[in-house]
Amino acid sequence: MKTRTAVLVLFGLVTLAVLVTLPAFAGAPADRSLQAGQFSTPTPGPDGKIIYIVQLDDTLWVIAARAGLTVEQLRALNGIQANDIITPGMKLILGLGGPAQPTQAAGGPPSPTPPPPTATPAFGTGELCALLFDDVNGNSRLDVGEPPLAGGRVSIADATGKVAAEFTTKAELDANGDPQSQCVPDLPSGDYNVSAAVPAEYNPTTSMNVPVRLDPGDTRYVEFAAQASSAIASGAGGSRSTGLGLLGLVLLVVAGGLGYYASRIGRRSSHSLR
């Protein structure tokens, strides 16, 4: 009997708990309203403010969650204190956006598409500098102490072959005592061929035609070298002849030694046959 009474009491308590909690779950539309598709963010008004009208059963937490805000941010936007309550019909600011843009009426003419910007061609000028120097040692490089060579001719022609500048070389030094290049400023950017001719008593030791690409603002330097004909005949040529003579003498000595060695072997062979 006592057991049956206890069971009935327990059943009554469980039933009472269900009846008390069921209305709370049934009256929680706020949680269901958070589901996707049940809330659309209002569009900004003419002043840029995004306004939301409080609905029945709304709470600050639910509205903030819908708008992607924290409760503190929502309160700060609307000046709501911790103890303040909200009521249906209240207007709450959810954020500040740009003013609403007017939309084009259906069937209206399409807005013209602006043409894409065109690249601005690069125009400008540059400077070409050329130097003709006396290549004393004939190594085709400008070494310390080798002077500039006067009396040569330098010609600068563009891509079409038209001569853009031409001058006679001078034996000038700069402030440091180095050979001074002669420059032609304000040449239009483009491709050029720089050529040189040496004085009659000299022979070139470098190429006398150099292609150059001149970009806007560039300063390009070209060097040409020539050696005196007398230096080739006496100095450089003489040393070369001397070297060849010594090499020939060494070859003669070696050939003589090989001949003597061959003759000795031949004698030994003849003695052994006897």
Side-chain angles (χ1 to χ4, degrees):
M1 185 66 179
K2 291 181 179 180
T3 301
R4 183 177 179 182
T5 302
V7 171
L8 292 174
V9 171
L10 180 59
F11 178 76
L13 291 174
V14 172
T15 303
L16 179 61
V18 171
L19 294 175
V20 171
T21 57
L22 186 58
F25 285 103
D31 294 339
R32 292 195 301 271
S33 67
L34 290 177
Q35 298 177 1
Q38 297 188 13
F39 176 78
S40 59
T41 303
T43 57
D47 58 355
K49 294 181 180 179
I50 301 175
I51 303 297
Y52 174 73
I53 307 299
V54 178
Q55 305 297 315
L56 185 64
D57 297 326
D58 276 347
T59 64
L60 287 177
W61 183 88
V62 171
I63 297 172
R66 289 171 179 169
L69 303 171
T70 64
V71 175
E72 289 75 14
Q73 290 173 331
L74 184 60
R75 284 176 175 166
L77 285 171
N78 294 274
I80 299 175
Q81 302 300 319
N83 297 326
D84 293 345
I85 60 174
I86 59 174
T87 57
M90 286 182 61
K91 294 182 179 181
L92 296 181
I93 300 175
L94 300 184
L96 299 175
Q101 299 296 325
T103 57
Q104 180 177 304
S111 300
T113 302
T118 57
T120 303
F123 294 107
T125 60
E127 185 177 39
L128 272 176
C129 300
L131 170 67
L132 176 62
F133 66 92
D134 188 350
D135 189 10
V136 177
N137 56 14
N139 65 354
S140 305
R141 296 192 303 269
L142 178 60
D143 296 319
V144 176
E146 291 182 330
L149 184 59
R153 291 289 294 174
V154 173
S155 177
I156 301 174
D158 61 17
T160 65
K162 180 181 178 181
V163 176
E166 193 171 17
F167 56 85
T168 300
T169 60
K170 300 177 181 179
E172 295 181 345
L173 301 177
D174 61 14
N176 298 321
D178 297 323
Q180 175 70 57
S181 298
Q182 294 171 247
C183 299
V184 178
D186 301 325
L187 287 173
S189 59
D191 294 311
Y192 290 90
N193 185 71
V194 185
S195 59
V198 301
E201 64 274 16
Y202 283 82
N203 294 314
T205 59
T206 61
S207 173
M208 292 289 106
N209 291 278
V210 179
V212 176
R213 173 67 181 178
L214 188 64
D215 292 323
D218 274 356
T219 298
R220 302 295 300 272
Y221 293 88
V222 180
E223 292 180 353
F224 300 101
Q227 188 180 36
S229 303
S230 57
I232 296 176
S234 59
S239 61
R240 183 178 179 183
S241 300
T242 301
L244 291 175
L246 290 175
L247 179 61
L249 181 61
V250 170
L251 291 176
L252 287 175
V253 171
V254 171
L258 290 175
Y260 176 76
Y261 181 71
S263 65
R264 292 294 302 271
I265 291 181
R267 289 177 185 176
R268 290 178 183 178
S269 299
S270 62
H271 285 300
S272 63
L273 289 176
R274 290 175 184 176

